[in-house]
Every structure is written in C-alpha cells, then in structure tokens.
Amino acid sequence: MKIITWNCNGAFRKKFDSLLDYQADIHIIQKCENPTESKHKEYQDWAKNYLWIRDTNNKGLGIFAKPEIILEKLDCTNNFKNHTVKYFLPCKVNNDFDLLAVWKHRNNSPNFGYIGQLWKYLQVNKDKLNGTLIAGDFNSNAIWDEWDRWWNHSDVVSELKEYGIESIYHKLTGEEHGKESIPTLYFQKKIARPYHIDYIFGPEKFTERAKKCEI
C-alpha cells in the first residue's frame, strides 16, 4: 500500500492531477476543498471515495482512497476540557487498521497551538490509538521545543513511542527528531528556510514492513 500526505495549500481541484503518476492507494490532503461542493467535474470524478472535514468549504482535511478501499469514519472525541482541538480525521481502512489524518492548527491557542493540539487529542483518545497510523501536517519539529512545556514535539514523540507508535521516516533513516536531513517545507517558498514538519507515524507492524519513505 502506498500512502501520500500533502499540504496542498489550497486549490486542490487544480492540483490533484499532479499526484496521478504516483498511483497511491490513499491520499491525506490538508487545505483541500470539499469535492461535493466543488464545481470542478474532474476533481469530483477523481474524488469518488473520500472523507472530509472542514475549516471552510474551500479549506479542509481530506482522506482520498482508491474506489476498492473501504473507509469507515471512527467516532473519536475532539474535545479536551471544553476545548475543541483541530484538525483530526480518524477512520478504519478495509476493516484492517486505523488511520488518523492530522492537520495541526494554531486554533487560536497561544499555548497549545500546533503540537499542543495533538497532545490534547492524545490525552482523550489514548485508549483508541493502539495500532493506529498517524499521518499529516504536524506543523511541528523538535527544534521548537520549549523547556517549560510538557507538550513539546519531543514529549509527544516520546508519548507516542509508549504506545508503540514511531515516525517511519526516522526509523528508516536513523535520523533524530530535529536533525532531519530532508525538509518537507520551504517556509514562504524560501530555500533558505527549510523545515521538516510532515510525518507518518505507525506501530511496529508498519515500521518493520515499510519499504520506502520518500519526500
């Protein structure tokens, strides 16, 4: 199975065809529009099998799969002490494994933005994460850890490891978090500002069988 995660930065209806040559089984796309409400027929024809949650009608988080793949949305809570975290889209794939698509958001939270949103989600859903593949735009890296926070990137990585879930990229390359040799983003499209902020985390059954992780 081939899985792609991509923050398309909007207008996915004009960009989805750039993914066709990869022939992926599942696409996890951040900042994409809802196919149902799109007027782009080619996009609608391609997006026959998907799950989607919104930021706005033109910007959301989607999971798109080949027609023969079964996606079943799971009922997990997004509420942590009356605060709604975003964005998380959990589903079961082919009744075989759980997939959690993420697009980490600042969410108007000065202290718990981005990786703090994931930390909160873990606290209220940890009993449901056994064997889950977690993939998407985390907007986070260990280089931004702050000493007085227990929900830093490194803390979340450690907590996921306690559940048996680790980054597939780091397992395959042997690189440490915060010392990645390949970026997933050039901030503001500037070559001089490279960051590694997108990840696919999985349990041992995925990390041991993974053949390739390409950026």
Side-chain angles (χ1 to χ4, degrees):
M1 177 174 282
K2 183 185 289 185
I3 298 174
I4 288 177
T5 175
W6 181 34
N7 185 328
C8 70
N9 200 28
F12 187 54
R13 67 190 181 280
K14 299 178 181 179
K15 303 174 182 178
F16 76 92
D17 57 356
S18 64
L19 299 174
L20 299 182
D21 289 344
Y22 293 103
Q23 297 184 332
D25 299 278
I26 296 175
H27 300 86
I28 299 163
I29 308 295
Q30 301 87 38
K31 294 187 182 177
C32 62
E33 56 267 69
N34 184 356
T36 301
E37 300 182 16
S38 173
K39 296 180 180 179
H40 197 283
K41 186 177 184 304
E42 289 80 6
Y43 178 41
Q44 289 184 328
D45 289 342
W46 176 79
K48 293 292 187 183
N49 183 22
Y50 73 95
L51 300 172
W52 186 87
I53 56 175
R54 72 177 62 229
D55 188 13
T56 67
N57 287 339
N58 295 320
K59 192 191 300 182
L61 171 64
I63 301 173
F64 303 86
K66 288 183 176 179
E68 64 271 20
I69 292 177
I70 301 171
L71 299 177
E72 177 189 356
K73 190 174 181 180
L74 296 176
D75 183 21
C76 297
T77 180
N78 286 338
N79 293 312
F80 176 90
K81 297 182 178 179
N82 297 320
H83 173 68
T84 301
V85 297
K86 60 184 184 182
Y87 286 101
F88 301 91
L89 181 53
C91 71
K92 185 170 287 293
V93 179
N94 286 340
N95 201 33
D96 179 35
F97 67 91
D98 292 350
L99 169 65
L100 176 63
V102 304
W103 170 23
K104 296 285 46 56
H105 206 279
R106 185 169 180 81
N107 201 16
N108 296 319
S109 179
N111 294 321
F112 285 89
Y114 304 120
I115 197 63
Q117 297 288 291
L118 178 55
W119 181 85
K120 286 186 174 183
Y121 186 89
L122 294 179
Q123 307 318 301
V124 292
N125 290 292
K126 61 179 62 179
D127 60 326
K128 301 176 182 177
L129 290 176
N130 184 30
T132 299
L133 196 68
I134 306 173
D137 182 357
F138 285 57
N139 274 308
S140 179
N141 190 286
I143 61 175
W144 297 309
D145 283 355
E146 296 187 32
W147 70 269
D148 59 344
R149 293 181 176 178
W150 62 90
W151 61 92
N152 281 325
H153 181 94
S154 297
D155 297 311
V156 170
V157 168
S158 295
E159 184 164 348
L160 287 172
K161 190 172 183 178
E162 292 177 6
Y163 310 150
I165 298 174
E166 297 184 72
S167 165
I168 293 177
Y169 170 88
H170 294 86
K171 289 286 287 188
L172 288 179
T173 63
E175 295 178 0
E176 298 179 19
H177 282 268
K179 297 182 179 180
E180 295 86 0
S181 61
I182 306 175
T184 67
L185 168 77
Y186 293 99
F187 186 63
Q188 296 178 338
K189 301 180 181 179
K190 296 179 180 178
I191 297 298
R193 303 188 71 179
Y195 298 110
H196 191 109
I197 62 171
D198 303 86
Y199 307 87
I200 298 181
F201 281 77
E204 187 176 2
K205 69 176 182 179
F206 288 106
T207 57
E208 286 197 341
R209 294 166 58 187
K211 297 179 179 179
K212 188 178 183 181
C213 182
E214 183 177 3
I215 298 173

